[in-house]
Amino acid sequence: MKKIAVFTSGGDAPGMNACIRAVVRTAVYHKLEVYGIGRGYNGMIQGEIYRLFSHSVSNIIQKGGTILKSARCLEFHTPEGRKRAYEQISKFGIEGIVAIGGNGTFTGAQIFHKEYGIPIMGCPGTIDNDLFGTDYTIGYDTAVNTALDAIDKIRDTADSHERVFFVEVMGRDSGYIALPCAIGGGAEMVMIPETITSMSEVIETLQQGWRRSKTSFIIIVAEGDDEGGATEIAAKVKQALPQMDAKVTIIGHVQRGGTPTAADRLLSSQMGMAAVEGLIAGRANEMVGVMNGEIVYTPFHDTITKKKPISESFLRLVEVLSV
Amino acid sequence: MKKIAVFTSGGDAPGMNACIRAVVRTAVYHKLEVYGIGRGYNGMIQGEIYRLFSHSVSNIIQKGGTILKSARCLEFHTPEGRKRAYEQISKFGIEGIVAIGGNGTFTGAQIFHKEYGIPIMGCPGTIDNDLFGTDYTIGYDTAVNTALDAIDKIRDTADSHERVFFVEVMGRDSGYIALPCAIGGGAEMVMIPETITSMSEVIETLQQGWRRSKTSFIIIVAEGDDEGGATEIAAKVKQALPQMDAKVTIIGHVQRGGTPTAADRLLSSQMGMAAVEGLIAGRANEMVGVMNGEIVYTPFHDTITKKKPISESFLRLVEVLSV
Amino acid sequence: MKKIAVFTSGGDAPGMNACIRAVVRTAVYHKLEVYGIGRGYNGMIQGEIYRLFSHSVSNIIQKGGTILKSARCLEFHTPEGRKRAYEQISKFGIEGIVAIGGNGTFTGAQIFHKEYGIPIMGCPGTIDNDLFGTDYTIGYDTAVNTALDAIDKIRDTADSHERVFFVEVMGRDSGYIALPCAIGGGAEMVMIPETITSMSEVIETLQQGWRRSKTSFIIIVAEGDDEGGATEIAAKVKQALPQMDAKVTIIGHVQRGGTPTAADRLLSSQMGMAAVEGLIAGRANEMVGVMNGEIVYTPFHDTITKKKPISESFLRLVEVLSV
Amino acid sequence: MKKIAVFTSGGDAPGMNACIRAVVRTAVYHKLEVYGIGRGYNGMIQGEIYRLFSHSVSNIIQKGGTILKSARCLEFHTPEGRKRAYEQISKFGIEGIVAIGGNGTFTGAQIFHKEYGIPIMGCPGTIDNDLFGTDYTIGYDTAVNTALDAIDKIRDTADSHERVFFVEVMGRDSGYIALPCAIGGGAEMVMIPETITSMSEVIETLQQGWRRSKTSFIIIVAEGDDEGGATEIAAKVKQALPQMDAKVTIIGHVQRGGTPTAADRLLSSQMGMAAVEGLIAGRANEMVGVMNGEIVYTPFHDTITKKKPISESFLRLVEVLSV
């Protein structure tokens, strides 16, 4: 293997740049030529491919976003799109690819590999942490800390005004962000897709607090909770308890940006290095993960189809610590 | 004067604790007894009044929120409520009051002073900075920095995905928060209540950017803009430009919390000291302000009725720097 | 078991308060009475022991330092001191203790347990992360992020001025803080106690960089490196390369303070809960740890005597990524 | 005027990039060509001069350091050096220059203007805030907030351990950074070059605190205090009070880096615009300043020779609020 490429795809995540840097530097270390592909599969189809050097990735480890940019690409879903992508890749003589993204990215990579045989290794770049095959995904630790920082600020106001705050964090399908935010934010309750939310229990708990004159509450809501996002849930609560001063804050896209934390820079660096060394070792069609502190490789198929469970012991922590 | 009291009222603002600390310490320095009143005018009515010492305010200068808590109080709008408040105040022998809050707080203080003659000095505690009689209000600098920090994070994502972001910051009646956020956040446009927003110009600017392949935009919207908040404005834009990937982020209550900045701690400390020394010097019925670096006093009446204009030169900065 | 106590000892670490909170709340959850002991073993000897309730630990999860305070205690090294401590503990009817601290704390606890039989469980509260029996210690993640934040700021200046910076981070006996700081800070070199530092190699690397006009360097030094701290190492370099503009920054005690990160709040909460539930289950004389995401218990004796090795793969990351 | 240039010189300061951006954008807005000069006067002499466009300064407003880099330049002190610089400037047809830096920078600019007549306008880029002719310098607000953030973290540890901390902040000739750090950090004392420090008073105050069992102190020391830096002062204190657990922290170069605050971005933007519009209006040989919220222009000669006094009322605040 002499030439490899790297791209980012799907929603951006803090640490993607640290991962790109690690891919480039590891390639240089092993005397490979390395190319960047701009805007995910779009750039692959349109030949937005350029050489990267060690200095190209200087001073990016601390930057949010992705210097290679990211975008959705409908054309890659078509055989024609993938054919054009392969032609571009071939033109540059690229023999292996590192794809940084989530399940959508890996699904495309799997098909592409099947059709054209080019080895692709994936790095899990998504703040959601709901990918099977790794304890943590790139950007997750940063996103949790960003959300927690916002929750700390909201608590100042909640305490000063004796209010109930419903704070919505990201997580369409999982409570991975919501759960540590609830524990770390000292929240009174957490609502996540993985468990059934009982509105009557929620209302009962608030009323109980009210009775023993506890009047400031923070409730963390994962955006994809079965009872809806924070706005819907707050509306249901207000209907039952109209006297309650309930406020809603949706932390939103802020969670995707910002300087990556130490843990995310470390994880991204490890994964980028492992992806390149995996390609060199002849691996393909797998996602790099870190489990129990060790690098592991999971076939794209498993990553895409298997579900990572939420920690039961964390759910118990929320319950015990909010007494 | 031997005994004074201090309370916070209205929306909380970072720096209120630094101001409380300065009031207490200045009182102690001048050998006055000082009392805290909890939950604004409510605590005054209900006698929630307790002695504060120098050490009572140790280690609070860096804390968001208000240790005295804050709340709305409908009862103080009634003559009966104010009578009860005066009785409580008298019971403790309090001869002067420092009120930290905004226009609502000062309106109550003015009436109370008129009816019962007790000297009250105000400190402008509100993140909105729209109070006449001071260049800056307590919490404003912190709120702007908090909003800017969120905007920086959003820019990471906007750049990576080539998206248009409408970011809503606080400001029901003014663009005081929005304007420095737009300049400091490198935003392409700003929409504030003080100027008429032309939706057709907004759309035209976005289309022009589009044509010269500028596809990432950040537009700051004050919540009280004449064309609506960020959600409404984004909806209007999407109707005209359906191809645009427009996202909305409402920064919300996060702006009210957090550790106060250096400037806010300094301002709050200056104002708290000036309020107490004003009372000692026989002043009453005035708001402390800082203008051009000097302490100034403005009658409550002027603060409440006069409008502080927005800086024309800042508006020009947004225009020039977004070329 | 009906009454337990908790104290902090040794150097403070961010997350100690989150751990105290978890101890108190878990005790309350299990219907135990819980007491706080002030200033470590000093407070135990002097009977500085007071009841804690669920609300006593409200709103402390995000606070640096320790509300129970910490101090060294020479008297506890003597049989008389420990006797007095046991008398105080007995007076309050305390039947189990959670000690939050490091090796010094656990050494005292082990002797105390041996002499008086009172069950003690330890939580590893130290930023250094060099305790055997846990993947992470309380405060470590925060300290690394604090140091990294400083290194990011220094890089701004290093890049602008083309300078060499020697940045000293904490770590008298280990490179646990230095290593992730070097990887995450994109440092060119790292010097830690666990490996032999060759000054001639350091100088050679700087000269090589100089030749290919790389003139801005960041070198992370653990305070206990075999060649000395940053000041000494910089002096040696300057002697060999007098033309070099070498600056030294010692991050220092800042690393011990600050709001704990999400990971530290989570870890502290888990450990505090596990310590109390361990006591209830009849455990004693052990340190709670988290290894591979699971709670584990290690006898004090092992924690104190065994050495936790540094990660070889992290050392390799620094080398590969600085090409 | 058709072509102008911009450079940064002297110690870097957060906000320099925001100022460069404003210079470039304002030039573009007024249809001027604009050039960047790398590494201060060095780049001028060596012809390190390149065209800048509006997009060249995209996404730099939030970045610490300076994209144009900075360096000392001994050669510019010689007539030959300045002659070479003028030849380079002339080659590019540059008719006006914006110099971002401090007194050293302006001294060079003044001589250069005198010798060659080229109009130069200065922007005060230094964290020290000790320049005559402006209320604030670029980077000052950020540096104070950075130092304050460190002081907040140190207070956590000081409180937990009952220690005395001597914290050294930048300020070789002035207490401009030290003073707001002392007020905002709730410090017990401040030592600055502008006032005479009495070691016997310092020791007396510490002893008094000790007697009323106040055992945690934070003392802010400007590096250029008449009694020495923090290390020297702590040594003198330890000699007199050997029982005291006195620690030293030198915040150091961290103060020069980091993302500029909102106030610094605003100030830098205003100044950059005013410098360019000053050049267009025929101004030369002056430093742009902001006083009482308004743009003012001060001849280089005054800036260099006059001394900006420290605020007496801030000194009083430290005294009153530490009771």
Side-chain angles (χ1 to χ4, degrees), chain B residues 21-22 25-26 28-30 54 59 61-62 141 144-145 148 152 155 159 180 183-186 259 261-263 265-266 269-270 273 277 292-293 313-314 316-317 319-323, chain D residues 21-22 25-26 28-30 54 59 61-62 141 144-145 148 152 155 159 180 183-186 259 261-263 265-266 269-270 273 277 292-293 313-314 316-317 319-323:
Chain B
R21 174 179 177 269
R25 294 274 170 98
T26 308
V28 170
Y29 183 86
H30 289 293
S54 182
N59 215 8
I61 196 170
Q62 80 281 17
D141 187 60
V144 170
N145 277 288
L148 198 50
D152 283 353
R155 182 168 288 287
D159 280 344
I183 297 167
T259 292
T261 58
R265 298 189 202 184
L266 205 57
S269 299
Q270 284 180 278
M273 182 164 93
E277 299 196 333
N292 297 337
S313 70
F314 284 2
R316 201 169 155 252
L317 260 180
E319 189 206 335
V320 172
L321 300 186
S322 62
V323 295
Chain D
R21 174 180 177 268
R25 294 275 169 97
T26 308
V28 170
Y29 182 86
H30 289 293
S54 181
N59 214 9
I61 196 169
Q62 81 281 18
D141 187 61
V144 170
N145 277 287
L148 198 50
D152 283 352
R155 183 168 288 286
D159 281 343
I183 298 168
T259 293
T261 58
R265 297 189 202 184
L266 204 57
S269 299
Q270 283 179 279
M273 183 164 93
E277 300 196 334
N292 296 337
S313 71
F314 285 1
R316 205 174 149 247
L317 260 180
E319 189 205 336
V320 172
L321 300 187
S322 62
V323 294

Side-chain angles (χ1 to χ4, degrees), chain C residues 33-56:
Chain C
E33 269 183 31
V34 58
Y35 291 79
I37 301 170
R39 297 184 305 116
Y41 289 117
N42 292 289
M44 206 186 282
I45 289 169
Q46 282 156 38
E48 202 177 316
I49 298 170
Y50 41 90
R51 184 79 186 272
L52 293 173
F53 301 91
S54 181
H55 66 260
S56 315

Side-chain angles (χ1 to χ4, degrees), chain A residues 25 54 152 265 277 316 323, chain C residues 54 152 265 277 316 323:
Chain A
R25 294 274 170 98
S54 181
D152 282 353
R265 297 189 202 183
E277 300 197 333
R316 202 171 153 250
V323 294
Chain C
S54 181
D152 283 353
R265 298 189 201 183
E277 300 196 334
R316 202 170 154 250
V323 294

Side-chain angles (χ1 to χ4, degrees), chain A residues 216-236:
Chain A
S216 137
F217 281 88
I218 293 197
I219 298 163
I220 308 298
V221 182
E223 64 181 323
D225 185 64
D226 47 299
E227 285 287 340
T231 311
E232 282 171 83
I233 289 175
K236 290 174 189 174

Side-chain angles (χ1 to χ4, degrees), chain A residues 1 119-121 274-275 277-286 296-298:
Chain A
M1 190 163 294
I120 309 184
M121 292 297 286
E277 300 197 333
L279 281 175
I280 292 172
R283 290 185 169 278
N285 221 19
E286 291 173 333
V296 292
Y297 299 94
T298 303

